[in-house]
PDB file of all heavy atoms in Angstrom:
ATOM      1  N   LYS B 193      53.229 126.491  25.825  1.00 91.00           N
ATOM      2  CA  LYS B 193      54.549 125.620  25.641  1.00 91.00           C
ATOM      3  C   LYS B 193      55.654 126.080  26.446  1.00 91.00           C
ATOM      4  O   LYS B 193      56.420 125.356  27.184  1.00 91.00           O
ATOM      5  CB  LYS B 193      54.736 125.382  24.365  1.00 91.00           C
ATOM      6  CG  LYS B 193      55.207 124.046  24.026  1.00 91.00           C
ATOM      7  CD  LYS B 193      55.296 123.753  22.445  1.00 91.00           C
ATOM      8  CE  LYS B 193      55.961 122.434  22.273  1.00 91.00           C
ATOM      9  NZ  LYS B 193      55.991 121.940  20.954  1.00 91.00           N
ATOM     10  N   GLU B 203      61.562 121.791  37.633  1.00 91.00           N
ATOM     11  CA  GLU B 203      61.518 120.499  38.355  1.00 91.00           C
ATOM     12  C   GLU B 203      62.697 119.603  38.317  1.00 91.00           C
ATOM     13  O   GLU B 203      63.181 118.977  39.193  1.00 91.00           O
ATOM     14  CB  GLU B 203      60.277 119.716  37.843  1.00 91.00           C
ATOM     15  CG  GLU B 203      59.104 119.854  38.892  1.00 91.00           C
ATOM     16  CD  GLU B 203      58.175 118.516  38.682  1.00 91.00           C
ATOM     17  OE1 GLU B 203      58.647 117.421  38.891  1.00 91.00           O
ATOM     18  OE2 GLU B 203      57.089 118.763  38.286  1.00 91.00           O
ATOM     19  N   ASN B 204      63.276 119.594  37.058  1.00 92.00           N
ATOM     20  CA  ASN B 204      64.341 118.675  36.688  1.00 92.00           C
ATOM     21  C   ASN B 204      65.006 119.007  35.450  1.00 92.00           C
ATOM     22  O   ASN B 204      64.511 118.771  34.326  1.00 92.00           O
ATOM     23  CB  ASN B 204      63.585 117.218  36.599  1.00 92.00           C
ATOM     24  CG  ASN B 204      64.745 116.158  36.576  1.00 92.00           C
ATOM     25  OD1 ASN B 204      65.827 116.279  36.170  1.00 92.00           O
ATOM     26  ND2 ASN B 204      64.367 114.989  37.217  1.00 92.00           N
ATOM     27  N   GLU B 209      65.956 118.713  29.570  1.00 96.00           N
ATOM     28  CA  GLU B 209      66.915 118.777  28.456  1.00 96.00           C
ATOM     29  C   GLU B 209      66.707 117.543  27.602  1.00 96.00           C
ATOM     30  O   GLU B 209      66.740 117.635  26.310  1.00 96.00           O
ATOM     31  CB  GLU B 209      68.374 118.753  28.993  1.00 96.00           C
ATOM     32  CG  GLU B 209      69.410 119.018  27.935  1.00 96.00           C
ATOM     33  CD  GLU B 209      69.693 120.523  27.580  1.00 96.00           C
ATOM     34  OE1 GLU B 209      69.222 121.326  28.280  1.00 96.00           O
ATOM     35  OE2 GLU B 209      70.322 120.553  26.535  1.00 96.00           O
TER      36      GLU B 209
ATOM     37  N   HIS E  93      63.069 110.149  36.634  1.00 94.00           N
ATOM     38  CA  HIS E  93      63.095 111.631  36.349  1.00 94.00           C
ATOM     39  C   HIS E  93      61.921 112.040  35.722  1.00 94.00           C
ATOM     40  O   HIS E  93      61.887 112.921  34.751  1.00 94.00           O
ATOM     41  CB  HIS E  93      64.488 111.967  35.560  1.00 94.00           C
ATOM     42  CG  HIS E  93      65.630 111.851  36.347  1.00 94.00           C
ATOM     43  ND1 HIS E  93      65.976 112.811  37.283  1.00 94.00           N
ATOM     44  CD2 HIS E  93      66.489 110.875  36.395  1.00 94.00           C
ATOM     45  CE1 HIS E  93      67.128 112.454  37.895  1.00 94.00           C
ATOM     46  NE2 HIS E  93      67.528 111.338  37.427  1.00 94.00           N
ATOM     47  N   LEU E  96      57.411 115.407  38.656  1.00 93.00           N
ATOM     48  CA  LEU E  96      56.548 114.855  39.784  1.00 93.00           C
ATOM     49  C   LEU E  96      55.315 115.823  40.099  1.00 93.00           C
ATOM     50  O   LEU E  96      54.314 115.402  40.477  1.00 93.00           O
ATOM     51  CB  LEU E  96      57.305 114.820  41.000  1.00 93.00           C
ATOM     52  CG  LEU E  96      58.496 113.766  40.936  1.00 93.00           C
ATOM     53  CD1 LEU E  96      59.434 114.065  42.095  1.00 93.00           C
ATOM     54  CD2 LEU E  96      57.949 112.446  40.913  1.00 93.00           C
ATOM     55  N   GLN E  97      55.392 117.071  39.596  1.00 90.00           N
ATOM     56  CA  GLN E  97      54.345 117.983  39.891  1.00 90.00           C
ATOM     57  C   GLN E  97      53.404 118.185  38.757  1.00 90.00           C
ATOM     58  O   GLN E  97      52.419 119.018  38.655  1.00 90.00           O
ATOM     59  CB  GLN E  97      54.950 119.329  40.330  1.00 90.00           C
ATOM     60  CG  GLN E  97      55.592 119.119  41.734  1.00 90.00           C
ATOM     61  CD  GLN E  97      56.252 120.471  42.116  1.00 90.00           C
ATOM     62  OE1 GLN E  97      55.830 121.605  41.836  1.00 90.00           O
ATOM     63  NE2 GLN E  97      57.357 120.293  42.960  1.00 90.00           N
ATOM     64  N   PHE E 109      57.782 117.679  23.364  1.00 95.00           N
ATOM     65  CA  PHE E 109      58.087 119.076  23.209  1.00 95.00           C
ATOM     66  C   PHE E 109      58.594 119.573  21.902  1.00 95.00           C
ATOM     67  O   PHE E 109      58.210 120.555  21.430  1.00 95.00           O
ATOM     68  CB  PHE E 109      59.080 119.473  24.361  1.00 95.00           C
ATOM     69  CG  PHE E 109      59.356 120.969  24.435  1.00 95.00           C
ATOM     70  CD1 PHE E 109      58.458 121.764  25.106  1.00 95.00           C
ATOM     71  CD2 PHE E 109      60.443 121.527  23.807  1.00 95.00           C
ATOM     72  CE1 PHE E 109      58.712 123.157  25.143  1.00 95.00           C
ATOM     73  CE2 PHE E 109      60.623 122.904  23.839  1.00 95.00           C
ATOM     74  CZ  PHE E 109      59.775 123.682  24.629  1.00 95.00           C
TER      75      PHE E 109
END
Side-chain angles (χ1 to χ4, degrees):
Chain B
K193 209 168 177 180
E203 259 206 61
N204 193 322
E209 189 79 15
Chain E
H93 291 280
L96 298 167
Q97 293 174 32
F109 187 80

